mmCIF file of all heavy atoms in Angstrom:
data_model
loop_
_atom_site.group_PDB
_atom_site.id
_atom_site.type_symbol
_atom_site.label_atom_id
_atom_site.label_comp_id
_atom_site.label_asym_id
_atom_site.label_seq_id
_atom_site.Cartn_x
_atom_site.Cartn_y
_atom_site.Cartn_z
ATOM 1 N N MET A 919 2.048 15.970 -0.113
ATOM 2 C CA MET A 919 3.256 16.092 -0.879
ATOM 3 C C MET A 919 4.239 16.829 -0.027
ATOM 4 O O MET A 919 3.903 17.857 0.561
ATOM 5 C CB MET A 919 2.996 16.780 -2.189
ATOM 6 C CG MET A 919 4.270 16.940 -2.964
ATOM 7 S SD MET A 919 4.180 17.723 -4.560
ATOM 8 C CE MET A 919 2.713 17.160 -5.281
ATOM 9 N N ARG A 920 5.460 16.384 -0.082
ATOM 10 C CA ARG A 920 6.550 17.122 0.565
ATOM 11 C C ARG A 920 7.348 17.904 -0.483
ATOM 12 O O ARG A 920 7.571 17.386 -1.535
ATOM 13 C CB ARG A 920 7.577 16.151 1.237
ATOM 14 C CG ARG A 920 6.965 15.422 2.391
ATOM 15 C CD ARG A 920 8.021 14.555 3.041
ATOM 16 N NE ARG A 920 7.440 13.959 4.233
ATOM 17 C CZ ARG A 920 8.166 13.299 5.084
ATOM 18 N NH1 ARG A 920 9.455 13.117 4.887
ATOM 19 N NH2 ARG A 920 7.633 12.724 6.158
ATOM 20 N N THR A 921 7.657 19.142 -0.155
ATOM 21 C CA THR A 921 8.383 19.984 -1.108
ATOM 22 C C THR A 921 9.792 20.209 -0.538
ATOM 23 O O THR A 921 9.994 20.351 0.689
ATOM 24 C CB THR A 921 7.668 21.357 -1.233
ATOM 25 O OG1 THR A 921 6.358 21.088 -1.711
ATOM 26 C CG2 THR A 921 8.363 22.215 -2.271
ATOM 27 N N SER A 922 10.764 20.288 -1.410
ATOM 28 C CA SER A 922 12.132 20.494 -1.041
ATOM 29 C C SER A 922 12.309 21.744 -0.127
ATOM 30 O O SER A 922 11.700 22.781 -0.385
ATOM 31 C CB SER A 922 13.016 20.684 -2.252
ATOM 32 O OG SER A 922 14.303 21.098 -1.908
ATOM 33 N N SER A 923 13.132 21.639 0.856
ATOM 34 C CA SER A 923 13.430 22.738 1.776
ATOM 35 C C SER A 923 14.295 23.767 1.087
ATOM 36 O O SER A 923 14.465 24.909 1.574
ATOM 37 C CB SER A 923 14.113 22.238 3.068
ATOM 38 O OG SER A 923 15.353 21.610 2.763
ATOM 39 N N PHE A 924 14.813 23.461 -0.080
ATOM 40 C CA PHE A 924 15.620 24.371 -0.841
ATOM 41 C C PHE A 924 14.783 25.207 -1.803
ATOM 42 O O PHE A 924 15.290 25.972 -2.554
ATOM 43 C CB PHE A 924 16.695 23.624 -1.669
ATOM 44 C CG PHE A 924 17.734 22.982 -0.744
ATOM 45 C CD1 PHE A 924 17.651 21.641 -0.423
ATOM 46 C CD2 PHE A 924 18.816 23.715 -0.188
ATOM 47 C CE1 PHE A 924 18.600 21.053 0.439
ATOM 48 C CE2 PHE A 924 19.777 23.169 0.640
ATOM 49 C CZ PHE A 924 19.618 21.813 0.909
ATOM 50 N N CYS A 925 13.473 25.055 -1.777
ATOM 51 C CA CYS A 925 12.568 25.754 -2.662
ATOM 52 C C CYS A 925 12.373 27.139 -2.140
ATOM 53 O O CYS A 925 11.938 27.360 -1.079
ATOM 54 C CB CYS A 925 11.227 25.001 -2.713
ATOM 55 S SG CYS A 925 10.011 25.865 -3.706
ATOM 56 N N SER A 926 12.711 28.124 -3.012
ATOM 57 C CA SER A 926 12.532 29.500 -2.527
ATOM 58 C C SER A 926 11.923 30.416 -3.569
ATOM 59 O O SER A 926 11.450 31.490 -3.323
ATOM 60 C CB SER A 926 13.858 30.086 -2.075
ATOM 61 O OG SER A 926 14.806 30.111 -3.134
ATOM 62 N N ASP A 927 11.986 29.966 -4.858
ATOM 63 C CA ASP A 927 11.513 30.876 -5.922
ATOM 64 C C ASP A 927 10.376 30.262 -6.773
ATOM 65 O O ASP A 927 10.091 30.724 -7.848
ATOM 66 C CB ASP A 927 12.698 31.232 -6.861
ATOM 67 C CG ASP A 927 13.258 30.051 -7.546
ATOM 68 O OD1 ASP A 927 12.800 28.901 -7.385
ATOM 69 O OD2 ASP A 927 14.174 30.241 -8.423
ATOM 70 N N GLY A 928 9.738 29.219 -6.252
ATOM 71 C CA GLY A 928 8.668 28.628 -6.960
ATOM 72 C C GLY A 928 9.084 27.492 -7.929
ATOM 73 O O GLY A 928 8.279 26.779 -8.485
ATOM 74 N N SER A 929 10.413 27.310 -8.123
ATOM 75 C CA SER A 929 10.947 26.199 -8.920
ATOM 76 C C SER A 929 11.255 25.105 -7.999
ATOM 77 O O SER A 929 12.407 24.938 -7.515
ATOM 78 C CB SER A 929 12.221 26.692 -9.689
ATOM 79 O OG SER A 929 11.903 27.765 -10.525
ATOM 80 N N CYS A 930 10.265 24.288 -7.722
ATOM 81 C CA CYS A 930 10.383 23.294 -6.624
ATOM 82 C C CYS A 930 10.206 21.864 -7.090
ATOM 83 O O CYS A 930 9.644 21.658 -8.150
ATOM 84 C CB CYS A 930 9.375 23.577 -5.579
ATOM 85 S SG CYS A 930 9.336 25.276 -4.965
ATOM 86 N N VAL A 931 10.707 20.972 -6.289
ATOM 87 C CA VAL A 931 10.497 19.533 -6.528
ATOM 88 C C VAL A 931 9.676 19.065 -5.337
ATOM 89 O O VAL A 931 10.023 19.324 -4.185
ATOM 90 C CB VAL A 931 11.823 18.804 -6.600
ATOM 91 C CG1 VAL A 931 11.620 17.306 -6.646
ATOM 92 C CG2 VAL A 931 12.629 19.256 -7.773
ATOM 93 N N GLY A 932 8.590 18.312 -5.616
ATOM 94 C CA GLY A 932 7.839 17.693 -4.567
ATOM 95 C C GLY A 932 7.812 16.241 -4.715
ATOM 96 O O GLY A 932 7.932 15.666 -5.822
ATOM 97 N N VAL A 933 7.630 15.545 -3.564
ATOM 98 C CA VAL A 933 7.586 14.085 -3.545
ATOM 99 C C VAL A 933 6.312 13.666 -2.813
ATOM 100 O O VAL A 933 6.006 14.139 -1.722
ATOM 101 C CB VAL A 933 8.805 13.470 -2.812
ATOM 102 C CG1 VAL A 933 8.690 11.984 -2.687
ATOM 103 C CG2 VAL A 933 10.115 13.885 -3.494
ATOM 104 N N ALA A 934 5.542 12.833 -3.496
ATOM 105 C CA ALA A 934 4.294 12.329 -2.929
ATOM 106 C C ALA A 934 4.378 10.826 -2.798
ATOM 107 O O ALA A 934 4.686 10.126 -3.778
ATOM 108 C CB ALA A 934 3.094 12.693 -3.796
ATOM 109 N N ILE A 935 4.247 10.322 -1.582
ATOM 110 C CA ILE A 935 4.310 8.865 -1.321
ATOM 111 C C ILE A 935 2.907 8.311 -1.143
ATOM 112 O O ILE A 935 2.179 8.859 -0.316
ATOM 113 C CB ILE A 935 5.221 8.600 -0.097
ATOM 114 C CG1 ILE A 935 6.589 9.125 -0.354
ATOM 115 C CG2 ILE A 935 5.249 7.106 0.211
ATOM 116 C CD1 ILE A 935 7.528 9.114 0.848
ATOM 117 N N GLY A 936 2.587 7.332 -1.949
ATOM 118 C CA GLY A 936 1.239 6.742 -1.859
ATOM 119 C C GLY A 936 1.298 5.239 -1.861
ATOM 120 O O GLY A 936 2.385 4.663 -1.889
ATOM 121 N N ALA A 937 0.152 4.626 -1.799
ATOM 122 C CA ALA A 937 0.066 3.147 -1.746
ATOM 123 C C ALA A 937 0.653 2.489 -3.029
ATOM 124 O O ALA A 937 1.142 1.402 -2.949
ATOM 125 C CB ALA A 937 -1.357 2.709 -1.543
ATOM 126 N N ASP A 938 0.583 3.222 -4.122
ATOM 127 C CA ASP A 938 1.068 2.662 -5.395
ATOM 128 C C ASP A 938 2.501 3.042 -5.742
ATOM 129 O O ASP A 938 2.951 2.753 -6.798
ATOM 130 C CB ASP A 938 0.124 3.055 -6.486
ATOM 131 C CG ASP A 938 0.008 4.574 -6.676
ATOM 132 O OD1 ASP A 938 0.394 5.295 -5.719
ATOM 133 O OD2 ASP A 938 -0.467 5.038 -7.745
ATOM 134 N N GLY A 939 3.189 3.728 -4.844
ATOM 135 C CA GLY A 939 4.587 4.123 -5.104
ATOM 136 C C GLY A 939 4.854 5.558 -4.794
ATOM 137 O O GLY A 939 4.159 6.168 -3.942
ATOM 138 N N VAL A 940 5.798 6.169 -5.482
ATOM 139 C CA VAL A 940 6.259 7.489 -5.243
ATOM 140 C C VAL A 940 6.177 8.284 -6.516
ATOM 141 O O VAL A 940 6.582 7.821 -7.608
ATOM 142 C CB VAL A 940 7.728 7.451 -4.723
ATOM 143 C CG1 VAL A 940 8.274 8.882 -4.513
ATOM 144 C CG2 VAL A 940 7.868 6.646 -3.470
ATOM 145 N N ARG A 941 5.690 9.526 -6.451
ATOM 146 C CA ARG A 941 5.647 10.427 -7.570
ATOM 147 C C ARG A 941 6.533 11.637 -7.211
ATOM 148 O O ARG A 941 6.471 12.185 -6.142
ATOM 149 C CB ARG A 941 4.260 10.935 -7.819
ATOM 150 C CG ARG A 941 3.380 9.958 -8.448
ATOM 151 C CD ARG A 941 1.939 10.404 -8.673
ATOM 152 N NE ARG A 941 1.844 11.761 -9.101
ATOM 153 C CZ ARG A 941 1.646 12.184 -10.353
ATOM 154 N NH1 ARG A 941 1.550 11.293 -11.300
ATOM 155 N NH2 ARG A 941 1.511 13.474 -10.615
ATOM 156 N N VAL A 942 7.430 12.028 -8.139
ATOM 157 C CA VAL A 942 8.276 13.177 -8.044
ATOM 158 C C VAL A 942 7.721 14.210 -8.947
ATOM 159 O O VAL A 942 7.645 13.926 -10.155
ATOM 160 C CB VAL A 942 9.766 12.863 -8.320
ATOM 161 C CG1 VAL A 942 10.614 14.097 -8.199
ATOM 162 C CG2 VAL A 942 10.265 11.737 -7.387
ATOM 163 N N VAL A 943 7.380 15.369 -8.437
ATOM 164 C CA VAL A 943 6.650 16.428 -9.229
ATOM 165 C C VAL A 943 7.485 17.651 -9.369
ATOM 166 O O VAL A 943 8.057 18.172 -8.416
ATOM 167 C CB VAL A 943 5.291 16.745 -8.536
ATOM 168 C CG1 VAL A 943 4.584 17.802 -9.301
ATOM 169 C CG2 VAL A 943 4.465 15.464 -8.341
ATOM 170 N N ASP A 944 7.561 18.200 -10.569
ATOM 171 C CA ASP A 944 8.134 19.518 -10.848
ATOM 172 C C ASP A 944 6.971 20.514 -10.666
ATOM 173 O O ASP A 944 6.081 20.516 -11.462
ATOM 174 C CB ASP A 944 8.683 19.559 -12.256
ATOM 175 C CG ASP A 944 9.293 20.863 -12.655
ATOM 176 O OD1 ASP A 944 9.044 21.872 -11.906
ATOM 177 O OD2 ASP A 944 9.941 20.974 -13.664
ATOM 178 N N THR A 945 7.020 21.350 -9.644
ATOM 179 C CA THR A 945 5.903 22.255 -9.379
ATOM 180 C C THR A 945 5.740 23.310 -10.395
ATOM 181 O O THR A 945 4.674 23.895 -10.484
ATOM 182 C CB THR A 945 6.029 22.825 -7.976
ATOM 183 O OG1 THR A 945 7.224 23.609 -7.915
ATOM 184 C CG2 THR A 945 6.047 21.801 -6.877
ATOM 185 N N LYS A 946 6.755 23.659 -11.224
ATOM 186 C CA LYS A 946 6.628 24.627 -12.260
ATOM 187 C C LYS A 946 5.719 24.185 -13.375
ATOM 188 O O LYS A 946 4.975 24.937 -13.960
ATOM 189 C CB LYS A 946 7.997 24.995 -12.874
ATOM 190 C CG LYS A 946 8.982 25.615 -11.992
ATOM 191 C CD LYS A 946 10.217 25.976 -12.795
ATOM 192 C CE LYS A 946 10.812 24.949 -13.685
ATOM 193 N NZ LYS A 946 11.658 23.944 -13.219
ATOM 194 N N THR A 947 5.858 22.895 -13.719
ATOM 195 C CA THR A 947 5.193 22.384 -14.894
ATOM 196 C C THR A 947 4.121 21.307 -14.599
ATOM 197 O O THR A 947 3.400 20.913 -15.506
ATOM 198 C CB THR A 947 6.203 21.714 -15.837
ATOM 199 O OG1 THR A 947 6.778 20.551 -15.176
ATOM 200 C CG2 THR A 947 7.306 22.653 -16.247
ATOM 201 N N ASP A 948 4.049 20.862 -13.363
ATOM 202 C CA ASP A 948 3.174 19.770 -12.991
ATOM 203 C C ASP A 948 3.572 18.448 -13.658
ATOM 204 O O ASP A 948 2.807 17.464 -13.582
ATOM 205 C CB ASP A 948 1.706 20.048 -13.291
ATOM 206 C CG ASP A 948 0.972 20.403 -12.038
ATOM 207 O OD1 ASP A 948 1.552 20.331 -10.916
ATOM 208 O OD2 ASP A 948 -0.232 20.816 -12.107
ATOM 209 N N GLY A 949 4.764 18.416 -14.228
ATOM 210 C CA GLY A 949 5.259 17.132 -14.796
ATOM 211 C C GLY A 949 5.616 16.222 -13.630
ATOM 212 O O GLY A 949 5.982 16.689 -12.602
ATOM 213 N N ALA A 950 5.552 14.926 -13.844
ATOM 214 C CA ALA A 950 5.839 13.971 -12.739
ATOM 215 C C ALA A 950 6.486 12.729 -13.255
ATOM 216 O O ALA A 950 6.292 12.311 -14.393
ATOM 217 C CB ALA A 950 4.567 13.659 -11.975
ATOM 218 N N LEU A 951 7.360 12.158 -12.420
ATOM 219 C CA LEU A 951 7.892 10.823 -12.626
ATOM 220 C C LEU A 951 7.315 9.895 -11.544
ATOM 221 O O LEU A 951 7.154 10.300 -10.398
ATOM 222 C CB LEU A 951 9.387 10.869 -12.513
ATOM 223 C CG LEU A 951 10.145 11.763 -13.502
ATOM 224 C CD1 LEU A 951 11.618 11.847 -13.118
ATOM 225 C CD2 LEU A 951 9.989 11.239 -14.919
ATOM 226 N N SER A 952 7.057 8.664 -11.899
ATOM 227 C CA SER A 952 6.543 7.682 -10.961
ATOM 228 C C SER A 952 7.495 6.564 -10.779
ATOM 229 O O SER A 952 8.110 6.096 -11.720
ATOM 230 C CB SER A 952 5.176 7.132 -11.449
ATOM 231 O OG SER A 952 4.221 8.199 -11.487
ATOM 232 N N PHE A 953 7.603 6.084 -9.500
ATOM 233 C CA PHE A 953 8.524 5.043 -9.142
ATOM 234 C C PHE A 953 7.843 4.053 -8.225
ATOM 235 O O PHE A 953 7.003 4.457 -7.430
ATOM 236 C CB PHE A 953 9.778 5.568 -8.411
ATOM 237 C CG PHE A 953 10.519 6.585 -9.206
ATOM 238 C CD1 PHE A 953 10.244 7.904 -9.085
ATOM 239 C CD2 PHE A 953 11.489 6.167 -10.101
ATOM 240 C CE1 PHE A 953 11.011 8.850 -9.811
ATOM 241 C CE2 PHE A 953 12.211 7.118 -10.869
ATOM 242 C CZ PHE A 953 11.955 8.439 -10.710
ATOM 243 N N THR A 954 8.243 2.785 -8.283
ATOM 244 C CA THR A 954 7.706 1.816 -7.317
ATOM 245 C C THR A 954 8.483 2.067 -6.013
ATOM 246 O O THR A 954 9.494 2.787 -5.987
ATOM 247 C CB THR A 954 8.016 0.372 -7.751
ATOM 248 O OG1 THR A 954 9.415 0.141 -7.817
ATOM 249 C CG2 THR A 954 7.386 0.071 -9.111
ATOM 250 N N ALA A 955 7.965 1.511 -4.932
ATOM 251 C CA ALA A 955 8.611 1.671 -3.609
ATOM 252 C C ALA A 955 10.050 1.151 -3.638
ATOM 253 O O ALA A 955 10.961 1.792 -3.091
ATOM 254 C CB ALA A 955 7.797 1.037 -2.537
ATOM 255 N N SER A 956 10.264 0.026 -4.316
ATOM 256 C CA SER A 956 11.642 -0.528 -4.304
ATOM 257 C C SER A 956 12.567 0.320 -5.206
ATOM 258 O O SER A 956 13.762 0.460 -4.888
ATOM 259 C CB SER A 956 11.632 -1.992 -4.804
ATOM 260 O OG SER A 956 11.108 -2.127 -6.098
ATOM 261 N N GLU A 957 12.063 0.858 -6.310
ATOM 262 C CA GLU A 957 12.862 1.780 -7.120
ATOM 263 C C GLU A 957 13.255 2.978 -6.338
ATOM 264 O O GLU A 957 14.397 3.448 -6.384
ATOM 265 C CB GLU A 957 12.130 2.175 -8.402
ATOM 266 C CG GLU A 957 11.957 1.100 -9.400
ATOM 267 C CD GLU A 957 10.997 1.458 -10.532
ATOM 268 O OE1 GLU A 957 10.084 2.310 -10.324
ATOM 269 O OE2 GLU A 957 11.156 0.890 -11.624
ATOM 270 N N TRP A 958 12.318 3.555 -5.582
ATOM 271 C CA TRP A 958 12.619 4.743 -4.797
ATOM 272 C C TRP A 958 13.598 4.426 -3.677
ATOM 273 O O TRP A 958 14.545 5.212 -3.452
ATOM 274 C CB TRP A 958 11.289 5.289 -4.210
ATOM 275 C CG TRP A 958 11.503 6.561 -3.454
ATOM 276 C CD1 TRP A 958 11.477 6.736 -2.074
ATOM 277 C CD2 TRP A 958 11.822 7.886 -3.990
ATOM 278 N NE1 TRP A 958 11.714 8.056 -1.748
ATOM 279 C CE2 TRP A 958 11.941 8.756 -2.925
ATOM 280 C CE3 TRP A 958 11.976 8.299 -5.270
ATOM 281 C CZ2 TRP A 958 12.235 10.105 -3.118
ATOM 282 C CZ3 TRP A 958 12.273 9.664 -5.479
ATOM 283 C CH2 TRP A 958 12.369 10.546 -4.408
ATOM 284 N N ALA A 959 13.466 3.292 -3.051
ATOM 285 C CA ALA A 959 14.404 2.921 -1.989
ATOM 286 C C ALA A 959 15.791 2.792 -2.556
ATOM 287 O O ALA A 959 16.825 3.194 -1.934
ATOM 288 C CB ALA A 959 13.985 1.628 -1.331
ATOM 289 N N ALA A 960 15.972 2.205 -3.722
ATOM 290 C CA ALA A 960 17.288 2.051 -4.376
ATOM 291 C C ALA A 960 17.874 3.431 -4.729
ATOM 292 O O ALA A 960 19.081 3.681 -4.534
ATOM 293 C CB ALA A 960 17.177 1.243 -5.636
ATOM 294 N N PHE A 961 17.041 4.368 -5.196
ATOM 295 C CA PHE A 961 17.485 5.692 -5.479
ATOM 296 C C PHE A 961 17.999 6.443 -4.257
ATOM 297 O O PHE A 961 19.049 7.024 -4.210
ATOM 298 C CB PHE A 961 16.386 6.503 -6.175
ATOM 299 C CG PHE A 961 16.707 7.983 -6.342
ATOM 300 C CD1 PHE A 961 17.668 8.382 -7.240
ATOM 301 C CD2 PHE A 961 16.067 8.929 -5.526
ATOM 302 C CE1 PHE A 961 17.963 9.715 -7.375
ATOM 303 C CE2 PHE A 961 16.393 10.258 -5.685
ATOM 304 C CZ PHE A 961 17.330 10.667 -6.618
ATOM 305 N N VAL A 962 17.197 6.372 -3.197
ATOM 306 C CA VAL A 962 17.556 7.024 -1.932
ATOM 307 C C VAL A 962 18.823 6.430 -1.340
ATOM 308 O O VAL A 962 19.735 7.138 -0.889
ATOM 309 C CB VAL A 962 16.397 6.961 -0.921
ATOM 310 C CG1 VAL A 962 16.829 7.403 0.468
ATOM 311 C CG2 VAL A 962 15.198 7.765 -1.366
ATOM 312 N N ALA A 963 18.973 5.131 -1.463
ATOM 313 C CA ALA A 963 20.210 4.474 -0.959
ATOM 314 C C ALA A 963 21.413 4.969 -1.775
ATOM 315 O O ALA A 963 22.527 5.216 -1.218
ATOM 316 C CB ALA A 963 20.117 2.964 -1.088
ATOM 317 N N GLY A 964 21.249 5.167 -3.069
ATOM 318 C CA GLY A 964 22.338 5.679 -3.928
ATOM 319 C C GLY A 964 22.703 7.093 -3.568
ATOM 320 O O GLY A 964 23.876 7.480 -3.527
ATOM 321 N N VAL A 965 21.691 7.936 -3.277
ATOM 322 C CA VAL A 965 21.977 9.319 -2.832
ATOM 323 C C VAL A 965 22.710 9.285 -1.544
ATOM 324 O O VAL A 965 23.716 10.024 -1.411
ATOM 325 C CB VAL A 965 20.592 10.090 -2.708
ATOM 326 C CG1 VAL A 965 20.871 11.464 -2.051
ATOM 327 C CG2 VAL A 965 19.958 10.322 -4.077
ATOM 328 N N LYS A 966 22.303 8.540 -0.630
ATOM 329 C CA LYS A 966 22.948 8.473 0.699
ATOM 330 C C LYS A 966 24.375 7.956 0.583
ATOM 331 O O LYS A 966 25.299 8.352 1.348
ATOM 332 C CB LYS A 966 22.168 7.574 1.696
ATOM 333 C CG LYS A 966 20.914 8.239 2.176
ATOM 334 C CD LYS A 966 20.141 7.341 3.120
ATOM 335 C CE LYS A 966 18.875 8.008 3.627
ATOM 336 N NZ LYS A 966 18.130 7.146 4.551
ATOM 337 N N ALA A 967 24.621 7.087 -0.362
ATOM 338 C CA ALA A 967 26.002 6.531 -0.581
ATOM 339 C C ALA A 967 26.875 7.431 -1.390
ATOM 340 O O ALA A 967 28.028 7.125 -1.621
ATOM 341 C CB ALA A 967 25.880 5.173 -1.276
ATOM 342 N N GLY A 968 26.360 8.544 -1.904
ATOM 343 C CA GLY A 968 27.132 9.487 -2.621
ATOM 344 C C GLY A 968 27.265 9.166 -4.131
ATOM 345 O O GLY A 968 28.123 9.792 -4.791
ATOM 346 N N GLU A 969 26.459 8.261 -4.615
ATOM 347 C CA GLU A 969 26.592 7.886 -6.059
ATOM 348 C C GLU A 969 26.278 9.010 -7.034
ATOM 349 O O GLU A 969 26.666 8.908 -8.182
ATOM 350 C CB GLU A 969 25.639 6.663 -6.310
ATOM 351 C CG GLU A 969 26.092 5.431 -5.639
ATOM 352 C CD GLU A 969 25.133 4.244 -5.857
ATOM 353 O OE1 GLU A 969 24.326 4.278 -6.807
ATOM 354 O OE2 GLU A 969 25.171 3.316 -5.076
ATOM 355 N N PHE A 970 25.575 10.015 -6.584
ATOM 356 C CA PHE A 970 25.180 11.057 -7.507
ATOM 357 C C PHE A 970 25.886 12.399 -7.177
ATOM 358 O O PHE A 970 25.539 13.430 -7.760
ATOM 359 C CB PHE A 970 23.639 11.318 -7.441
ATOM 360 C CG PHE A 970 22.881 10.047 -7.782
ATOM 361 C CD1 PHE A 970 22.367 9.240 -6.788
ATOM 362 C CD2 PHE A 970 22.751 9.670 -9.086
ATOM 363 C CE1 PHE A 970 21.631 8.095 -7.100
ATOM 364 C CE2 PHE A 970 22.049 8.477 -9.418
ATOM 365 C CZ PHE A 970 21.504 7.711 -8.407
ATOM 366 N N ASP A 971 26.887 12.312 -6.345
ATOM 367 C CA ASP A 971 27.644 13.545 -6.016
ATOM 368 C C ASP A 971 28.416 14.048 -7.253
ATOM 369 O O ASP A 971 28.894 13.236 -8.025
ATOM 370 C CB ASP A 971 28.669 13.302 -4.939
ATOM 371 C CG ASP A 971 28.022 13.072 -3.579
ATOM 372 O OD1 ASP A 971 26.785 13.243 -3.438
ATOM 373 O OD2 ASP A 971 28.783 12.729 -2.588
ATOM 374 N N LEU A 972 28.416 15.360 -7.367
ATOM 375 C CA LEU A 972 29.180 15.954 -8.525
ATOM 376 C C LEU A 972 30.671 15.833 -8.290
ATOM 377 O O LEU A 972 31.097 15.897 -7.100
ATOM 378 C CB LEU A 972 28.843 17.437 -8.644
ATOM 379 C CG LEU A 972 27.298 17.695 -9.051
ATOM 380 C CD1 LEU A 972 27.038 19.183 -9.040
ATOM 381 C CD2 LEU A 972 27.016 17.097 -10.382
ATOM 382 N N PRO A 973 31.426 15.683 -9.343
ATOM 383 C CA PRO A 973 32.888 15.558 -9.174
ATOM 384 C C PRO A 973 33.499 16.810 -8.617
ATOM 385 O O PRO A 973 33.036 17.865 -8.710
ATOM 386 C CB PRO A 973 33.422 15.220 -10.552
ATOM 387 C CG PRO A 973 32.282 15.405 -11.512
ATOM 388 C CD PRO A 973 31.045 15.646 -10.692
#
């Protein structure tokens, strides 16, 4: 699992990439979201394109 480089106080986000897709984990609660590889690729493309930038 990769953890955000912005993690400093234990409130972290981790990403685990596996054969069945991608899991995004909240390290405080162990809650997780699961995505297929194509869903994750679309999300990353949106982030790179600035679609989620704050106004």
Side-chain angles (χ1 to χ4, degrees):
M919 179 179 322
R920 293 183 176 189
T921 304
S922 170
S923 60
F924 293 98
C925 177
S926 62
D927 65 357
S929 300
C930 307
V931 173
V933 176
I935 300 173
D938 59 343
V940 178
R941 286 178 38 99
V942 179
V943 179
D944 178 348
T945 60
K946 296 184 313 276
T947 65
D948 256 354
L951 299 172
S952 296
F953 301 93
T954 65
S956 60
E957 289 170 332
W958 183 252
F961 171 72
V962 170
V965 170
K966 289 180 178 181
E969 292 177 19
F970 302 101
D971 290 354
L972 296 175

